[in-house]
DNA sequence: TTATAAATGAAAAACATTTTCAATTAAGTA
DNA sequence: TACTTAATTGAAAATGTTTTTCATTTATAA
């Protein structure tokens, strides 16, 4: 269940963040787009309703939302894509042809993580998992 | 078992690549360093024996070696680190404090991959897996 | 209303990576 | 060995993303 802009906003002020027009604008765009958009693309959309906003602010807001676990990030080479975090922990399947992203849950890495902790002595705090391939539409072509 | 510079070189010419002094120099550095170095760091080292080399050539050579599966890449935010690929398919544990990287094998994602293929219709060609945490030396600090 | 720390945004800086293109060169062929 | 040529190189500029700086603005609590 996707959180609403209202819910996110109240969570922010609860955490002591100021509720600025810019933050609301970024949150609105994130909530209303279902793709994993890059900061620049989100910036473009935010500017439609809030032309004076700075790209920096978009970056800062995304960073903040990401730290709070409210949005998720997909890795595409140098670029990042952000979208609302669906329901908690999840990962991505990325089409290397068209860029489509599909979310999935149930990565089931606990056993592996435990083994690695023992073998290496690392205290593991998180992981990055992403599958790459061709989405249904991009198979069969060149 | 780490492949030797000679082995890599002969593989390249076998594949139709020219064996240039620059490529040899990059390969030598990669073979002789056990860290996952960024292109800029590798460039620095290569320049010690080959001062005239261009950073572009380092990038191009790393790209080529990576395509051929001869070196592996670790993802650290925007930067990449490269090192000789140990024995085939493996992944990384990265210390978010000091940057230490540990390799591991046995990611065991086949079952998950199969499930995702069925659920999403993606034709999965590869994956990106990385654990993040604190290495032994960086635990207990701040 | 006032005080104040947080937040903003323009501009510049910092990086990493890629593109361009003229000059060079490895390696096969005569 | 002396060509021939396509591959390779590297300087420079371009690209593109993200961060830093710092003066100005503003949300929020008192
Ligand atoms: Mn997602
Ligand atoms: Mn490795
Ligand atoms: Zn696709
Ligand atoms: Zn460490």
């Amino acid at each position: 269940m996707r959180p609403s802009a209202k819910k996110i906003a109240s969570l922010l002020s609860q955490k002591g963040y100021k509720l600025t027009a810019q933050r609301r604008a970024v949150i609105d765009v994130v909530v209303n787009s279902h793709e994993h958009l890059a900061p620049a693309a989100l910036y473009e959309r935010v500017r439609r309703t809030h032309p004076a906003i700075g790209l920096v602010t978009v970056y800062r807001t995304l960073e903040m939302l990401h730290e709070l676990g409210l949005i998720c990030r997909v890795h595409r080479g140098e670029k990042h894509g952000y979208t609302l975090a669906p329901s908690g922990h999840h990962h991505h399947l990325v089409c290397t042809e068209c860029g489509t992203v599909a979310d999935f849950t149930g990565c089931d890495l606990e056993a592996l993580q435990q083994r690695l902790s023992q073998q290496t002595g690392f205290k593991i705090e998180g992981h990055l998992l992403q599958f790459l391939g061709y989405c249904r539409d991009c198979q069969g072509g060149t």
Side-chain angles (χ1 to χ4, degrees), chain A:
Chain A
M1 178 158 346
R2 296 164 66 85
S4 66
K6 195 163 287 183
K7 195 149 254 166
I8 291 177
S10 75
L11 197 110
L12 287 196
S13 66
Q14 205 180 27
K15 292 263 177 185
Y17 293 98
K18 288 187 181 176
L19 271 188
T20 64
Q22 292 90 332
R23 284 178 176 165
R24 288 176 192 283
V26 172
I27 291 167
D28 278 348
V29 168
V30 171
V31 167
N32 292 309
S33 59
H34 285 232
E35 307 141 83
H36 291 74
L37 297 172
L42 286 161
Y43 173 61
E44 266 314 302
R45 294 199 184 184
V46 173
R47 289 223 287 180
R48 291 178 199 162
T49 63
H50 200 298
I53 199 174
L55 177 57
V56 217
T57 300
V58 174
Y59 269 95
R60 288 193 276 231
T61 305
L62 291 173
E63 173 64 23
M64 182 190 75
L65 294 171
H66 185 245
E67 294 257 283
L68 294 172
L70 295 168
I71 57 175
C72 67
R73 192 210 308 256
V74 63
H75 298 252
R76 330 165 143 283
E78 317 318 307
K79 279 188 195 171
H80 292 148
Y82 292 89
T83 200
L84 211 56
S87 34
H89 186 75
H90 73 288
H91 297 285
H92 301 119
L93 268 120
V94 180
C95 176
T96 50
E97 190 73 19
C98 71
T100 289
V101 177
D103 291 312
F104 72 89
T105 56
C107 55
D108 203 34
L109 293 172
E110 290 74 24
L112 176 57
Q113 175 169 331
Q114 188 134 355
R115 189 197 102 204
L116 293 174
S117 275
Q118 288 192 335
Q119 287 182 351
T120 64
F122 266 66
K123 183 177 170 201
I124 299 176
E125 308 255 277
H127 55 258
L128 178 61
L129 174 62
Q130 221 178 267
F131 285 91
L132 305 166
Y134 296 94
C135 73
R136 227 188 292 261
D137 295 345
C138 293
Q139 292 169 39
T142 305

